Amino acid sequence: MNDLDVFHFETNRKSFEDYAQPNGGVFWFGRDLAEMLGYESAHSFRTAINKAIQACVTLDIPVHENFKQVDREIDGKTQQDWKLSRFACYLVAMNGDVRKPGVAAAQAYFATVAAAFQKAIQNAENVERVLIRGEVSERERSLNGVAHENGVQNYQFFQNAGYRGMYNMNLGRLREVKGVDGSRSLLDFMGKEELAANLFRITQTEARIKNERVKGQRALEATAEHVGKKVRATMHELSGTRPEELPIAQDIKQVRATLKSTEKGFAKIDTKSPSK
């Protein structure tokens, strides 16, 4: 662990390892981590905590083993805090505001540590992909329900209309362009930008159906295609890139498996760490 002990988020501060609390297993206090990362607002740091917890839920990793709310005495006052595992600190950093120098440094640090026992370095975008992919699945289920309530008899045709609007081609052709076979969802191979765009398309399609009370298979397909076209136009206007031109990303199943292995690897680091 000597190679980790020298890491500092700021050169004139204690190292990350120096903040570790060895009482009943190694952990870090959330307030200490927030300070290290450069957060001044408890609300903004809580956002990073919530995203990190959601990542654990999505990965089916026990939250209570990595995040524990506790009462902590600070300057004679009892305040709420978190006990965070090393993996929890990693997830918080990966979901943090990268504009903060401390967050950017932490992301680089944890990626380097993860690389010590993983072939693939986990970066912040892959962690965000897992979160967005999970949210897309939830919103797709919701849209499916709304569509059927309003008259969709063939959901595949309805779904294809949304993709056709956004990608200017049918789903089958899009699979060929992206090089993804029919046994897997295209969403599993989309990068963060493309996933986020599809999440927006799905949520806006559902909202339009509800707001305009669209009924019937053909009308609902037309609505899905119309929203898809709007998202396509917006993406091209803002970035100059069409969605079908975005490269495919690492299989999300591999990303999830590597993240779960990362959690085990971090736990081993602290199991082997000598008590202070």
Side-chain angles (χ1 to χ4, degrees):
M1 289 294 293
N2 290 336
D3 56 331
L4 301 182
D5 289 339
V6 300
F7 179 82
H8 296 73
F9 290 112
E10 295 180 20
T11 55
N12 61 339
R13 301 284 297 279
K14 293 193 298 183
S15 73
F16 173 73
E17 302 301 327
D18 287 336
Y19 277 97
Q21 305 292 324
N23 184 16
V26 180
F27 68 90
W28 285 258
F29 281 119
R31 288 178 181 269
D32 292 343
L33 181 63
E35 186 179 351
M36 282 185 272
L37 296 179
Y39 281 93
E40 297 178 357
S41 165
H43 174 74
S44 57
F45 182 68
R46 179 65 195 231
T47 298
I49 286 276
N50 288 340
K51 287 183 178 180
I53 291 174
Q54 185 56 47
C56 264
V57 172
T58 302
L59 293 166
D60 198 26
I61 290 174
V63 172
H64 69 276
E65 293 181 7
N66 293 281
F67 300 83
K68 295 180 182 178
Q69 277 193 300
V70 296
D71 289 329
R72 177 187 177 194
E73 188 172 314
I74 303 175
D75 297 329
K77 295 181 179 180
T78 300
Q79 300 186 39
Q80 282 193 333
D81 205 344
W82 291 88
K83 283 186 177 181
L84 305 174
S85 69
R86 185 183 296 271
F87 183 67
C89 293
Y90 161 77
L91 287 179
V92 170
M94 291 301 178
N95 284 287
D97 182 355
V98 75
R99 293 171 297 181
K100 297 182 181 297
V103 171
Q107 289 184 359
Y109 170 57
F110 284 121
T112 301
V113 176
F117 46 82
Q118 293 294 339
K119 293 180 181 179
I121 296 176
Q122 289 302 308
N123 55 35
E125 178 164 332
N126 272 343
V127 176
E128 289 185 83
R129 280 183 66 211
V130 169
L131 286 171
I132 299 172
R133 180 66 182 91
E135 191 172 355
V136 167
S137 293
E138 291 180 11
R139 298 314 307 174
E140 274 197 319
R141 286 191 290 269
S142 179
L143 176 59
N144 188 345
V146 170
H148 281 296
E149 286 174 5
N150 288 277
V152 162
Q153 301 297 316
N154 189 317
Y155 188 75
Q156 288 184 329
F157 287 177
F158 171 75
Q159 183 184 52
N160 183 64
Y163 277 102
R164 184 171 61 243
M166 181 167 169
Y167 291 90
N168 201 31
M169 66 183 75
N170 288 322
L171 187 54
R173 174 56 182 158
L174 181 59
R175 288 185 179 280
E176 294 177 5
V177 171
K178 295 280 189 176
V180 177
D181 67 59
S183 65
R184 296 292 305 281
S185 171
L186 272 171
L187 295 162
D188 289 344
F189 298 89
M190 291 182 184
K192 184 183 75 170
E193 179 185 353
E194 192 172 359
L195 272 174
N198 275 281
L199 176 61
F200 182 67
R201 172 181 63 80
I202 292 165
T203 56
Q204 291 306 300
T205 300
E206 180 176 339
R208 192 176 182 91
I209 291 171
K210 290 179 177 178
N211 293 337
E212 299 188 2
R213 299 180 182 180
V214 184
K215 304 287 183 180
Q217 178 79 34
R218 290 188 177 180
L220 287 161
E221 285 182 25
T223 297
E225 185 168 359
H226 174 77
V227 174
K229 287 181 177 179
K230 288 289 186 180
V231 174
R232 175 185 180 82
T234 300
M235 292 179 70
H236 188 242
E237 178 185 351
L238 295 178
S239 68
T241 302
R242 298 176 177 85
E244 65 272 17
E245 297 170 350
L246 293 170
I248 62 170
Q250 183 185 14
D251 186 345
I252 201 75
K253 287 186 176 180
Q254 295 178 6
V255 173
R256 287 174 177 150
T258 305
L259 278 168
K260 294 182 83 166
S261 296
T262 298
E263 191 254 354
K264 293 177 182 178
F266 279 167
K268 287 180 181 178
I269 288 176
D270 293 324
T271 299
K272 295 177 182 178
S273 297
S275 298
K276 292 187 179 181

